[in-house]
Amino acid sequence: MHILVIGGAGYIGSHVVKALLKRNMEVTVLDNLSTGTKLNLFPQANFIEGDILNYDQILTALKQNVDGIVLLAGKKAVGESMENPMKYALNNINGVINVLNAMVEANVKKAIFSSSAAVYGMPQYLPLDEEHPVNPMSFYGFTKLETERFLKWYDQLKGIKFVSLRYFNAVGYDEAGDVKGLEENPQNLLPIVMEAAIGKREKLKIFGNDYPTRDGTCIRDYIHVTDLGSAHALALEYLDNGGESQILNLGTSIGSSVLEMVNKTEEIIGKKIPYEFAPRRAGDPAELTAKADKAKEVLGWEATHSDLENIISSTWNMYKNL
Ligand code: UFG
């Protein structure tokens, strides 16, 4: 199978490319290098510098005998999406429509799409299964939900089969060190913990210690990007075998609190993390955990790299020599 990975030079994209290559797929990466980097490209994959907003570039890439796509390109900062919804509408909605329209024209019928736990909004029960009502609390989450709805219509009307993968908290780095690019200006907890550990940042601010959780800090379901990568490979094989369209959670169902992440990091790296408690961040639910049984049933997928030890040490390997 020849797969076009759109956004394949990014943090998650590069781990997806590695997983597809490992399963002997032919890979072409299309990326505009806005947040992705050439450091993340694999020599075995072809590379096209291009943008999801450029219809002709997408169409030309799809016409190179592509069998299916993985669409990761897009904007992903929840806070920024509330301040600049236009940027998110353009990239995450117009961009997806461009890709879908080009797929129709090029007769490419298989798509794996990056979605997010952000589609659910405030949990009504835990762990979240795919039947949980969707009510995004951010514009980012709204764009992900809307694109899932576009996918359903393009399936019904044009026969594009899709697997939409709702990631929980993506963390970790390739254990073999094959992904070399570090995310710039990281907004997420673990990279910020690492920056505090190496003194790149004065301290970590823990947003809230008065949540109704075991230690008062928020609980999240951290999933290693290598596990996300294998899910994409399995999803492509599933569609190639004639599978119907699916929406699947990707998580571990194990929740870890912010303080547990900090304590475990200190234990693994043998350094203290300077931190202080700060007010709650608007829109943060106390707890988010996934029920990922459906991904196991449909794809035979299981998280095998997502123990905290592995998540933290693979991330530390990227930061310790900065
Ligand atoms: N946190 C801190 N201090 C920081 C950064 C984060 O205490 O400096 C806390 C947050 O309050 C939260 C936890 O660490 O409780 C994890 O925060 P992240 O920002 O790393 O991740 P989120 O859970 O907020 O968001 C993630 C993805 C989003 C996705 C969302 C789905 O990054 O893309 O899950 O709910 F939309």
Side-chain angles (χ1 to χ4, degrees):
M1 257 195 295
H2 180 195
I3 306 302
L4 182 69
V5 182
I6 305 174
Y11 168 57
I12 297 177
S14 51
H15 290 87
V16 168
V17 169
K18 177 161 179 174
L20 305 194
L21 291 169
K22 201 170 153 195
R23 292 179 85 94
N24 293 322
M25 296 182 200
E26 184 186 346
V27 176
T28 298
V29 168
L30 186 141
D31 200 298
N32 68 0
L33 301 177
S34 63
T35 51
T37 156
K38 283 190 173 168
L39 287 172
N40 284 343
L41 296 173
F42 287 79
Q44 306 94 306
N46 314 304
F47 174 61
I48 301 170
E49 191 164 344
D51 200 298
I52 44 169
L53 297 177
N54 186 324
Y55 183 82
D56 291 336
Q57 281 175 349
I58 303 285
L59 185 63
T60 308
L62 287 172
K63 284 187 170 166
Q64 313 299 308
N65 289 321
V66 163
D67 300 298
I69 68 144
V70 180
L71 178 50
L72 301 120
K75 299 288 161 201
K76 62 159 191 155
V78 174
E80 184 189 45
S81 77
M82 302 298 272
E83 280 153 28
N84 193 350
M86 300 76 76
K87 185 170 170 180
Y88 282 70
L90 194 64
N91 285 279
N92 293 9
I93 296 193
N94 291 19
V96 173
I97 294 170
N98 245 346
V99 172
L100 288 173
N101 288 350
M103 287 178 73
V104 173
E105 191 174 340
N107 200 27
V108 175
K109 301 275 187 191
K110 294 187 265 288
I112 311 299
F113 173 70
S114 295
S115 186
S116 168
V119 299
Y120 294 115
M122 203 49 90
Q124 295 175 12
Y125 57 83
L126 290 163
L128 292 156
D129 57 27
E130 292 84 353
E131 305 308 315
H132 185 284
V134 282
N135 187 19
M137 287 164 59
S138 65
F139 192 79
Y140 164 76
F142 163 75
T143 65
K144 292 292 171 185
L145 182 58
E146 287 310 295
T147 41
E148 287 186 349
R149 291 175 169 151
F150 275 103
L151 288 167
K152 286 181 190 164
W153 276 107
Y154 274 70
D155 177 4
Q156 190 181 317
L157 302 175
K158 293 290 169 190
I160 291 180
K161 297 294 166 201
F162 69 87
V163 178
S164 180
L165 298 171
R166 291 178 175 169
Y167 312 148
F168 280 64
N169 288 61
V171 281
Y173 276 90
D174 178 53
E175 290 104 320
D178 290 340
V179 171
K180 311 252 185 262
L182 262 189
E183 275 198 294
E184 278 179 33
N185 299 319
Q187 309 281 327
N188 294 109
L189 176 67
L190 197 54
I192 291 174
V193 168
M194 296 293 158
E195 290 191 352
I198 60 172
K200 192 170 176 198
R201 185 182 282 262
E202 195 192 334
K203 54 177 76 154
L204 161 74
K205 285 190 165 65
I206 296 183
F207 300 137
N209 63 342
D210 58 350
Y211 284 98
T213 58
R214 48 189 178 260
D215 61 21
T217 64
C218 287
I219 291 179
R220 294 288 180 275
D221 186 333
Y222 294 94
I223 175 90
H224 196 291
V225 276
T226 297
D227 284 328
L228 294 184
S230 64
H232 292 72
L234 291 168
L236 283 163
E237 286 166 3
Y238 162 82
L239 290 181
D240 198 41
N241 289 327
E244 283 303 314
S245 295
Q246 296 283 350
I247 294 177
L248 303 172
N249 283 343
L250 294 182
T252 64
S253 82
I254 296 166
S256 303
S257 76
V258 177
L259 271 178
E260 285 162 359
M261 295 298 280
V262 170
N263 293 338
K264 192 77 183 169
T265 303
E266 290 182 335
E267 187 189 310
I268 289 172
I269 74 174
K271 276 177 172 230
K272 282 278 167 210
I273 309 293
Y275 71 83
E276 65 186 11
F277 292 115
R280 291 181 178 197
R281 187 172 67 175
D284 266 346
E287 182 167 350
L288 280 181
T289 45
K291 193 166 192 299
D293 303 23
K294 197 174 163 196
K296 185 171 182 192
E297 276 161 37
V298 173
L299 305 179
W301 173 84
E302 266 182 301
T304 54
H305 293 256
S306 295
D307 56 289
L308 285 192
E309 184 94 26
N310 192 39
I311 281 171
I312 293 167
S313 53
S314 64
T315 310
W316 180 236
N317 282 341
M318 295 291 289
Y319 280 87
K320 66 182 178 196
N321 297 320
L322 281 192

